[in-house]
């Protein structure tokens, strides 16, 4: 049996130089074009904190020491403190100053609070934030971007006593 004369066919393997032309293969592409109006959530132009909505968290709360939350009656927290925090949620950070709330440099709070802050959080914070609940009652915490991280309960305005008469 002899070998039949085969007709040479071009190879279908594009890497062997014959057969299907490279143009016939799909080129990599995208399903759609990127939208240019999107902004990165981190690392882009961040909105100034004063224009952002107030948010709060109890994730760094101090459960020991003289201004701890463990000494506050649950009814007080549920009926007065949390509703006040919920009122603040309707405001932007810049609007909170009208409620008597403000930043305080750590060196301006009483020594016992400075020591407690250093003991628990080391040198993590340069300032604390005081939220006025009502009358002399204050909630102290720190601002972490637009989140108020609750630290202490100050029922007598004693962490940073006012220097103004009758306040």
């Amino acid at each position: 049996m002899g070998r039949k004369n085969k007709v040479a066919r071009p190879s279908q393997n594009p890497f062997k130089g014959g057969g299907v032309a490279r143009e016939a293969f799909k080129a990599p592409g995208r399903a759609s074009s990127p939208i240019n109006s999107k902004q990165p959530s981190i690392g882009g132009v961040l909105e100034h904190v004063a224009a952002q909505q107030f948010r709060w968290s109890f994730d760094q709360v101090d459960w020991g020491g003289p201004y701890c939350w463990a000494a506050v009656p649950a009814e007080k927290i549920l009926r007065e403190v949390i509703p006040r925090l919920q009122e603040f949620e309707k405001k932007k950070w810049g609007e909170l100053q009208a409620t008597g709330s403000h930043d305080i440099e750590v060196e301006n709070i009483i020594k016992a609070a400075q020591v407690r802050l250093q003991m628990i959080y080391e040198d993590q914070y340069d300032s604390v934030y005081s939220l006025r609940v009502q009358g002399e009652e204050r909630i102290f915490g720190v601002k972490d971007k637009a989140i108020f991280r609750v630290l202490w309960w100050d029922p007598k305005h004693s962490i940073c006593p006012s220097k103004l008469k009758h306040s």
Side-chain angles (χ1 to χ4, degrees):
M1 295 188 88
R3 192 172 161 181
K4 293 185 184 176
N5 287 339
K6 289 188 173 182
V7 177
R9 288 187 274 159
S11 170
Q12 295 297 316
N13 185 340
F15 300 106
K16 288 190 175 180
V20 182
R22 286 202 181 268
E23 294 82 34
F25 289 97
K26 285 186 172 182
R30 300 178 238 219
S32 64
S33 297
I35 300 171
N36 292 334
S37 65
K38 285 189 173 182
Q39 293 293 324
S41 59
I42 301 290
V45 177
L46 294 177
E47 185 179 9
H48 192 273
V49 172
Q52 292 185 28
Q53 206 69 29
F54 173 83
R55 293 181 296 154
W56 54 280
S57 172
F58 269 84
D59 68 342
Q60 292 188 11
V61 72
D62 183 2
W63 292 106
Y67 303 105
C68 72
W69 285 88
V72 183
E75 186 173 346
K76 174 92 175 160
I77 294 171
L78 294 172
R79 292 185 186 263
E80 296 177 29
V81 176
I82 291 178
R84 185 67 167 152
L85 288 169
Q86 289 171 330
E87 285 177 31
F88 289 145
E89 287 176 337
K90 298 173 188 167
K91 300 180 183 298
K92 298 197 182 297
W93 274 97
E95 298 170 321
L96 286 178
Q97 287 187 321
T99 68
S101 302
H102 55 93
D103 274 307
I104 302 169
E105 296 297 318
V106 170
E107 60 264 11
N108 294 328
I109 62 177
I110 63 171
K111 193 67 175 169
Q114 289 179 31
V115 169
R116 183 72 182 164
L117 190 66
Q118 170 67 28
M119 183 172 45
I120 298 172
Y121 304 105
E122 298 172 353
D123 288 326
Q124 192 174 351
Y125 303 113
D126 296 327
S127 66
V128 291
Y129 198 84
S130 170
L131 283 177
R132 183 178 183 270
V133 177
Q134 63 183 7
E136 294 182 323
E137 296 175 333
R138 301 289 188 270
I139 300 171
F140 274 81
V142 292
K143 282 180 6 182
D144 180 5
K145 296 182 181 111
I147 301 172
F148 177 73
R149 302 212 181 269
V150 176
L151 297 176
W152 301 315
W153 171 250
D154 181 9
K156 303 281 187 206
H157 201 283
S158 60
I159 292 176
C160 185
S162 177
K163 293 176 179 138
L164 300 174
K165 190 177 182 180
H166 304 298
S167 61

